[in-house]
Amino acid sequence: MKSDNVFIMYAKNLSMYLHQELAEARTYDETLKRFECLRGYGRLPRGRENASLRLTNENIANAVFGFAPILSGWAGHVALIMSDLRPVGGMQASFHGAETLEKAVAKLIGSEEACKSIIHVTLCTARKSSGDEYHAKLLFKKDGTQQTTSFVSKMAYSLMGDGSERNYDHERPQAASTQQLVLGREFFESIHREVAISRHLDLPLKTDWREYETEEEREKFHQRLGARNSSRFLNVGVETQITWPKEPTRIQFNGHYFVLFPKTKENSHSVSIDLMHEKLSDGDASTLINRLLSLLSWCDDAHAIMRGGWSGNPIPVPVPRHNLAFSTATHWHFNRTMPTEVDLLQRLAYYREGLNAREASISSFEVLSFFKVFEVRRRTQPPEINPTKVWIAEIFEDASRSIRAEVLELFHAERGSKSIEDYIFDNYRVATAHTSKNYPSDADAYPELNRLHVGAQVMKALARYFIRSNFKLSDSFYSDEIDELNQ
């Protein structure tokens, strides 16, 4: 089917168009699943009554983002994140001044001038052990010169300032493995033309209403779980052995309603809460979920770990299972001898303990484990300064070069005027090992979890620096000798 009779201002027709352009090798059923997922995340109009709504340029941009992931079930999640990516260097450095990636791609869909200037748009999924990260890059011509705008997470505060784009390496891969969807000028010129024709003709939608029966059943199901027209749900995964409901269940706790989803082959246990109607911020809701999990853990005497999540869905949705990527090699070589120093062996054990705590999302234990790696094990007598503090003060500038700029920025903002070494020793080590009135640490509270998450990344960098510099330990699979060029 050629696109000149598709009229892609409607979601049904857009699915056929994008299937032809982006997913012809896959079945159309997979494309329909993408669109169902996009509707579930509020990226496209939902329900039979909205089938004939004319799509906005932003709706169409989100549908395009839905083809970035390989798995159709991730279309809505990825579109939700990608739509809010922000330009490195701020709006003044962005493509046509776009505030977000959604606005930039919407501009391409709605403007012939923008289409003529674009060279290509690259949607990237960086594969990392901690989870996928998303970013994008627009290559275009402006005033006769070739320019690039990169779009990254809005949490990368240090990259949003004026002039940040000049020092940003737009070509540097964000991970060892990155999946890309590259869309060229021809794609955007075609979709712009079809949208313009569709809107000019303004023909009514032709559809078989029976195709929305299943969606109507889902609508009733979501209403039973508390979804309303203005809902905005926070959805977080949970790793647990606690007794859990077999079916999606709405419960009340502390005056607020939660939705509990059971574990399946595709999804983890998860909890959803309507931020809008429960009148909660993301942080307050996360704290409340932790309180619920702590009480359930006590009752069932079993672990319950709150994993990551997101907010913004108009309906509660289950969270995909937490499946960590792993590395294999056809020819696996390992030629290392066990270190002989007992001190080093102990510190390596603490380092692995910290990584295990990170995997379990226990930031307080992660902070403490990494601290034990570089703690100087020597008694001091007053007025001698604690030797661990001395070491931190001496090496922090060098060790912190491996820490992401946005993490360092948050770390320094949190410590305020307190010295780096005192803040690390008192507000991380003491607070997590011996919480007290002066150094409290509430492991359920969202602000404290954020603080410890930042601290854990700083502690890990210090721990790795300590082992490398003090013991000259190689991190190669093949040799005990340290490679100075890679240190």
Side-chain angles (χ1 to χ4, degrees):
M1 179 193 303
K2 291 306 290 180
S3 59
D4 55 8
N5 59 0
V6 170
F7 305 117
I8 60 176
M9 62 181 175
Y10 301 112
K12 175 66 177 176
N13 303 132
L14 179 62
S15 69
M16 292 187 287
Y17 177 87
L18 291 181
H19 178 74
Q20 175 185 334
E21 296 293 325
L22 301 178
E24 204 163 22
R26 303 188 181 100
T27 66
Y28 184 56
D29 283 345
E30 282 296 307
T31 295
L32 290 179
K33 288 179 183 178
R34 290 183 191 272
F35 273 68
E36 288 176 9
C37 190
L38 287 162
R39 282 192 284 268
Y41 279 71
R43 301 293 92 192
L44 291 174
R46 296 174 56 237
R48 171 177 172 172
E49 68 278 8
N50 292 320
S52 59
L53 284 182
R54 275 70 166 168
L55 298 180
T56 65
N57 292 338
E58 287 76 13
N59 289 149
I60 298 171
N62 276 275
V64 173
F65 299 151
F67 283 83
I70 294 175
L71 299 177
S72 57
W74 282 82
H77 176 66
V78 172
L80 185 70
I81 295 174
M82 282 193 166
S83 64
D84 201 30
L85 295 179
R86 306 297 173 88
V88 174
M91 293 172 60
Q92 66 278 0
S94 185
F95 175 75
H96 283 259
E99 181 183 3
T100 63
L101 180 62
E102 179 185 72
K103 296 294 184 184
V105 175
K107 184 71 175 178
L108 284 166
I109 293 166
S111 167
E112 182 179 0
E113 178 189 359
C115 286
K116 289 180 178 178
S117 67
I118 197 69
I119 297 174
H120 61 72
V121 175
T122 304
L123 307 177
C124 304
T125 303
R127 305 293 189 190
K128 296 187 177 182
S129 60
S130 56
D132 291 348
E133 292 184 6
Y134 305 97
H135 56 101
K137 181 174 64 177
L138 274 68
L139 188 64
F140 59 98
K141 286 188 176 180
K142 182 178 180 181
D143 299 329
T145 62
Q146 186 168 294
Q147 298 187 22
T148 301
T149 297
S150 289
F151 288 82
V152 298
S153 169
K154 62 182 178 182
M155 302 305 292
Y157 305 117
S158 62
L159 298 178
M160 303 296 137
D162 293 353
S164 297
E165 76 281 0
R166 292 193 289 271
N167 298 319
Y168 184 78
D169 187 352
H170 299 279
E171 303 301 324
R172 181 176 65 86
Q174 301 296 310
S177 172
T178 301
Q179 173 195 324
Q180 296 183 339
L181 174 62
V182 181
L183 305 169
R185 177 185 301 162
E186 184 179 351
F187 170 81
F188 288 106
E189 287 180 337
S190 172
I191 198 169
H192 164 72
R193 181 174 60 253
E194 298 305 328
V195 169
I197 293 172
S198 297
R199 288 173 177 164
H200 175 72
L201 295 175
D202 197 25
L203 297 177
L205 175 67
K206 294 180 179 180
T207 184
D208 181 353
W209 291 108
R210 289 175 298 177
E211 68 184 87
Y212 287 92
E213 288 178 358
T214 302
E215 187 170 335
E216 286 181 329
E217 291 173 2
R218 285 197 298 271
E219 189 82 13
K220 292 177 181 178
F221 168 71
H222 292 138
Q223 287 175 357
R224 290 198 301 272
L225 295 181
R228 308 183 203 177
N229 289 335
S230 57
S231 291
R232 187 173 75 88
F233 279 87
L234 169 70
N235 311 284
V236 297
V238 178
E239 185 175 310
T240 184
Q241 292 297 319
I242 289 172
T243 304
W244 206 262
K246 184 179 180 180
E247 302 292 336
T249 303
R250 191 173 188 233
I251 68 166
Q252 189 175 25
F253 173 71
N254 198 45
H256 296 279
Y257 286 97
F258 299 78
V259 178
L260 275 59
F261 285 98
K263 185 176 182 179
T264 66
K265 289 182 179 179
E266 295 81 20
N267 303 315
S268 68
H269 293 104
S270 62
V271 180
S272 299
I273 185 169
D274 187 350
L275 301 176
M276 184 65 68
H277 291 281
E278 298 300 327
K279 295 180 172 57
L280 294 169
S281 67
D282 289 59
D284 290 339
S286 297
T287 299
L288 195 56
I289 292 171
N290 273 322
R291 302 294 188 207
L292 172 65
L293 294 179
S294 292
L295 188 57
L296 289 172
S297 290
W298 169 254
C299 293
D300 224 2
D301 199 20
H303 75 276
I305 302 165
M306 187 174 80
R307 293 288 189 183
W310 66 91
S311 63
N313 296 75
I315 58 172
V317 296
V319 176
R321 292 184 67 170
H322 177 77
N323 292 317
L324 215 61
F326 58 89
S327 301
T328 59
T330 305
H331 303 288
W332 191 77
H333 299 287
F334 184 77
N335 185 32
R336 296 297 302 271
T337 57
M338 190 175 80
T340 57
E341 296 175 75
V342 174
D343 187 31
L344 173 56
L345 292 174
Q346 291 176 354
R347 294 178 192 270
L348 284 174
Y350 289 138
Y351 187 81
R352 181 170 67 91
E353 189 177 69
L355 296 177
N356 291 347
R358 169 172 292 188
E359 165 61 16
S361 299
I362 309 175
S363 296
S364 57
F365 202 76
E366 185 183 354
V367 163
L368 197 56
S369 295
F370 286 138
F371 185 92
K372 290 189 289 186
V373 173
F374 60 80
E375 187 172 23
V376 179
R377 301 170 183 174
R378 179 169 61 82
R379 289 184 177 275
T380 58
Q381 298 294 329
E384 185 181 0
I385 301 174
N386 183 285
T388 303
K389 290 186 178 182
V390 173
W391 181 81
I392 293 171
E394 290 176 348
I395 61 82
F396 189 83
E397 185 177 350
D398 285 340
S400 63
R401 291 192 178 115
S402 64
I403 304 172
R404 299 201 316 272
E406 58 268 28
V407 174
L408 270 180
E409 187 175 324
L410 289 171
F411 168 77
H412 290 307
E414 287 164 355
R415 73 177 178 86
S417 60
K418 196 167 186 176
S419 71
I420 292 171
E421 59 273 21
D422 284 345
Y423 182 74
I424 288 176
F425 195 90
D426 298 336
N427 297 78
Y428 286 139
R429 185 259 184 189
V430 175
T432 52
H434 313 288
T435 183
S436 64
K437 181 179 179 180
N438 292 332
Y439 304 108
S441 184
D442 185 343
D444 272 350
Y446 182 75
E448 178 66 356
L449 287 175
N450 269 353
R451 189 184 75 87
L452 292 177
H453 178 68
V454 170
Q457 296 176 75
V458 173
M459 295 295 188
K460 180 176 181 287
L462 296 181
R464 198 161 185 86
Y465 184 91
F466 183 91
I467 291 176
R468 283 173 179 261
S469 59
N470 284 44
F471 296 99
K472 306 300 180 186
L473 185 68
S474 166
D475 58 9
S476 167
F477 269 50
Y478 319 118
S479 172
D480 290 335
E481 299 296 322
I482 195 164
D483 182 358
E484 297 294 342
L485 292 177
N486 293 325
Q487 302 311 306

